[in-house]
Amino acid sequence: MQKIIILDFGSQTTQLIGRRVRELDTFCEIVPYNKFPKDDPSVIGVILSGSPYSVHDPEAFKVDLTQFVGRLPVLGICYGAQFISNTLGGKVEKADSREYGRANLETVDTSNPLFKGFDQHSQVWMSHGDTITAIPSDFKVIGSTKDVKNAAFASTKQPVWAVQFHPEVFHTVQGTLLLKNFVVDICGSKQEWSAASFVDSTVAELKEQIGQDRVILGLSGGVDSSVAAVLLNRAIGDRLTCIFVDHGMLRKNEFQQVMDDYRVLGLNVIGVDASEKFFGDLAGVTDPEQKRKIIGRDFVEVFNAEAKKITDARWLAQGTIYPDRIESLNITGKVIKSHHNVGGLPKEMNLQLCEPLKWLFKDEVRRVGRQLGMPEHLITRHPFPGPGLAVRILGDITPEKVRVLQEADDIYIRGLRDYKVKLSGEEARRVLAAGVPADMQDGEIEVSLYDQIWQAGAILLSTVRSVGVMGDERTYENPVALRAVTSTDAMTADWAHLPYDFMARVSNEIINKVRGVNRVCYDISSKPPATIEWE
């Protein structure tokens, strides 16, 4: 299969480049800047990402351009553009002021294949501290803004292009068109990568890989493990056994609802209620990291005990997706973030690993789920932490605290699903690109608040008590904080600007209906510096 190689120089938006290329029905692979696959005949083009470094920093990442320049089409983005210019004889200097935010291309050479179909004055997004003050002698400028003369340039002798802006971000209005021009027209992609082709090829590969063996898969109720289960079920049928462990800290009625969904999908699922064990082991524990470790340990114990009953199993399947694997390694190949689905299997399980979604981004997982005919509420389900509500309760965990938080959270999430909003422009494009089904009418789409945001949940501040008045009585109860963020990949996130009338309605309902709560707050922290979860 044809592929685009994206060389990662450490940019926060490298994954976005990959997602945009995949949206063009073209397979791509993100590899560290120094790991270009020289002998891979399926590579049809190369993209150099941005970087947190200046090309003049002693520790700046460098690549030997002769590996692909002259052999394959090349596109440099931001640092990639500066590296190309600096290496091939141009000049890169520190800008008088950081060039960051929206800008408009005042001059665009639409005769150049990279800018075919572009509008004059098209909006782009800049984010760099250095700027290219001179381009190499055999290059020409093909795009400029008011402040950046060399915003885009191209070689007159070889298939090399470079842009100082970021076409992968939503704020660059015609960024997808630019990438399409490069990937499809310049590199010659046949656009053979799609949800349908992935399902067909993966089912065939799973049949070949697994043969007549039995597979065990741990379900969480989340989209990744659910899609992996349905995909495996299509390949091997009832030789897949799924195990869904209830640790007692799921959302209200979630265990039964998810079990019902899985049975409708025809999955062979074993549900295990282990809440008593988890609550007992968590009694009196307040340290967040200790809570996570106890839940992780108990989950493995419960899962392994159930898995051992399936004596003829040879494989363990996981819902590992591509970002899990990318985020677990930095561009030098060292682990910077451990992930529960990355790092191998416990030796005592004596099983082989099966990861049918390991090449997919989250939005692709959702497209595959729709291709498989899964219900929409399972596909669009927000990310939910493995330890569940345990890391959304500050302080120790008790069944009563979980009950209180379940009730508050249920009111909040139902409210987000019921409240409809109309979106246009960048917001509409972002939601549609995430795979949310919506019809565009007069430039607008209507979606629920739930579908507009990346993740939401309620947090019980059980270590804090606040005074209140209900009726003629004084109360001294716990506050609940509400959290909702917008994001594309959870690596960065901004707080969602929810409508005031919605916030008033939800706050009023929580305080009136949930005994033990007398105050509701809203978290307006972005990530960074905060995180999405509180613990």
Side-chain angles (χ1 to χ4, degrees):
M1 180 182 293
Q2 294 176 318
K3 71 172 72 166
I4 297 290
I5 291 296
I6 300 169
L7 294 182
D8 182 14
F9 289 86
S11 170
Q12 287 188 331
T13 60
T14 300
Q15 282 197 38
L16 275 180
I17 302 172
R19 289 179 59 199
R20 299 293 169 261
V21 173
R22 295 281 185 89
E23 287 166 7
L24 297 169
D25 298 330
T26 303
F27 184 68
C28 67
E29 207 173 323
I30 297 172
V31 301
Y33 69 97
N34 56 355
K35 301 292 183 183
F36 178 74
K38 290 182 286 187
D39 301 321
D40 188 341
S42 64
V43 179
I44 59 172
V46 183
I47 297 176
L48 280 61
S49 82
S51 175
Y53 291 115
S54 161
V55 295
H56 300 301
D57 288 344
E59 64 269 38
F61 301 126
K62 296 178 172 59
V63 64
D64 179 6
L65 294 177
T66 62
Q67 296 177 94
F68 41 82
V69 167
R71 288 201 310 112
L72 295 164
V74 178
L75 173 63
I77 295 175
C78 196
Y79 175 90
Q82 295 169 358
F83 182 79
I84 288 171
S85 179
N86 191 62
T87 304
L88 299 182
K91 193 172 184 180
V92 178
E93 297 181 287
K94 192 169 186 63
D96 293 335
S97 61
R98 180 173 169 81
E99 293 164 346
Y100 181 84
R102 293 174 176 83
N104 291 309
L105 291 171
E106 295 196 342
T107 305
V108 183
D109 181 1
T110 55
S111 67
N112 188 280
L114 191 69
F115 284 127
K116 185 181 73 174
F118 252 64
D119 301 328
Q120 295 294 335
H121 308 294
S122 187
Q123 178 182 289
V124 298
W125 183 265
M126 297 285 187
S127 179
H128 53 265
D130 288 350
T131 193
I132 298 168
T133 54
I135 60 176
S137 58
D138 59 341
F139 281 69
K140 65 176 181 179
V141 175
I142 59 173
S144 303
T145 70
K146 178 182 177 182
D147 298 316
V148 183
K149 176 185 176 183
N150 303 313
F153 51 98
S155 172
T156 58
K157 296 181 179 179
Q158 301 179 110
V160 180
W161 289 262
V163 295
Q164 288 204 78
F165 55 88
H166 287 270
E168 70 273 23
V169 303
F170 285 100
H171 305 298
T172 297
V173 174
Q174 292 185 287
T176 298
L177 175 59
L178 185 149
L179 290 171
K180 179 178 181 292
N181 288 340
F182 178 74
V183 170
V184 179
D185 296 345
I186 294 172
C187 296
S189 167
K190 296 177 183 177
Q191 296 185 280
E192 298 172 323
W193 176 262
S194 66
S197 67
F198 175 84
V199 169
D200 291 342
S201 62
T202 303
V203 166
E205 289 168 5
L206 288 169
K207 288 179 177 178
E208 171 104 12
Q209 178 187 22
I210 295 167
Q212 295 301 309
D213 294 343
R214 183 170 291 281
V215 180
I216 301 171
L217 185 147
L219 287 170
S220 67
V223 62
D224 299 338
S225 65
S226 299
V227 172
V230 175
L231 195 59
L232 276 159
N233 186 61
R234 179 166 293 192
I236 64 171
D238 61 7
R239 284 182 287 114
L240 169 69
T241 301
C242 303
I243 299 173
F244 184 26
V245 176
D246 180 9
H247 49 38
M249 288 153 283
L250 298 172
R251 285 181 156 137
K252 183 180 178 180
N253 300 326
E254 185 172 30
F255 180 70
Q256 191 56 53
Q257 289 169 358
V258 171
M259 286 293 292
D260 291 343
D261 283 334
Y262 286 151
R263 291 192 179 103
V264 169
L265 289 169
L267 298 179
N268 177 23
V269 185
I270 298 171
V272 184
D273 181 358
S275 54
E276 187 175 339
K277 172 180 174 58
F278 281 87
F279 280 123
D281 290 347
L282 286 168
V285 177
T286 60
D287 179 71
E289 188 61 22
Q290 190 64 20
K291 284 195 281 187
R292 286 181 177 272
K293 287 181 178 178
I294 291 170
I295 293 170
R297 181 201 68 202
D298 284 4
F299 180 87
V300 170
E301 288 178 3
V302 173
F303 182 86
N304 285 354
E306 204 62 42
K308 285 178 181 176
K309 299 176 185 177
I310 308 168
T311 56
D312 57 343
R314 297 291 178 267
W315 298 83
L316 176 70
Q318 293 185 158
T320 311
I321 64 174
Y322 198 30
D324 298 338
R325 299 194 295 135
I326 295 170
E327 291 169 5
S328 294
L329 293 174
N330 71 3
I331 57 179
T332 63
K334 297 178 181 177
V335 174
I336 56 172
K337 176 184 175 184
S338 61
H339 190 277
H340 63 279
N341 275 351
V342 179
L345 300 172
K347 291 181 180 179
E348 65 271 15
M349 293 196 76
N350 196 30
L351 298 173
Q352 299 179 74
L353 186 60
C354 176
E355 298 173 309
L357 308 181
K358 65 181 180 181
W359 289 110
L360 298 187
F361 289 99
K362 177 72 78 173
D363 49 336
E364 292 178 305
V365 174
R366 292 191 168 110
R367 291 191 185 98
V368 167
R370 293 188 179 98
Q371 182 67 31
L372 291 166
M374 294 174 61
E376 195 63 28
H377 68 270
L378 267 182
I379 295 169
T380 58
R381 185 178 186 267
H382 285 176
F384 188 65
L389 299 180
V391 292
R392 292 182 179 176
I393 296 174
L394 304 192
D396 66 325
I397 309 299
T398 66
E400 175 59 17
K401 290 180 180 179
V402 170
R403 183 202 62 79
V404 170
L405 185 53
Q406 283 177 332
E407 295 295 334
D409 178 84
D410 184 60
I411 291 169
Y412 182 34
I413 298 301
R414 281 193 292 103
L416 289 171
R417 289 188 182 277
D418 293 342
Y419 194 100
K420 305 298 181 183
V421 292
K422 290 185 176 181
L423 305 175
S424 60
E426 290 179 10
E427 276 293 294
R429 289 191 298 115
R430 179 181 64 78
V431 170
L432 290 172
V436 175
D439 294 325
M440 180 80 75
Q441 295 184 353
D442 299 324
E444 289 186 330
I445 61 173
E446 184 177 77
V447 296
S448 69
L449 278 178
Y450 185 89
D451 287 335
Q452 185 188 359
I453 60 183
W454 172 268
Q455 187 171 347
I459 299 94
L460 180 65
L461 280 62
S462 69
T463 58
V464 177
R465 299 182 75 188
S466 65
V467 68
V469 177
M470 292 184 177
D472 294 324
E473 296 183 2
R474 178 178 183 271
T475 63
Y476 199 51
E477 297 176 332
N478 297 122
V480 161
L482 304 182
R483 181 76 157 140
V485 298
T486 57
S487 181
T488 55
D489 52 19
M491 297 181 74
T492 61
D494 194 13
W495 59 279
H497 295 225
L498 300 179
Y500 285 164
D501 64 324
F502 167 80
M503 298 296 291
R505 186 188 312 168
V506 166
S507 172
N508 188 58
E509 188 173 353
I510 289 173
I511 292 171
N512 284 343
K513 293 184 177 180
V514 182
R515 186 173 298 278
V517 175
N518 68 352
R519 191 177 298 268
V520 174
C521 312
Y522 187 57
D523 183 348
I524 58 170
S525 310
S526 62
K527 174 189 178 181
T531 56
I532 295 177
E533 298 294 341
W534 277 43
E535 288 194 343

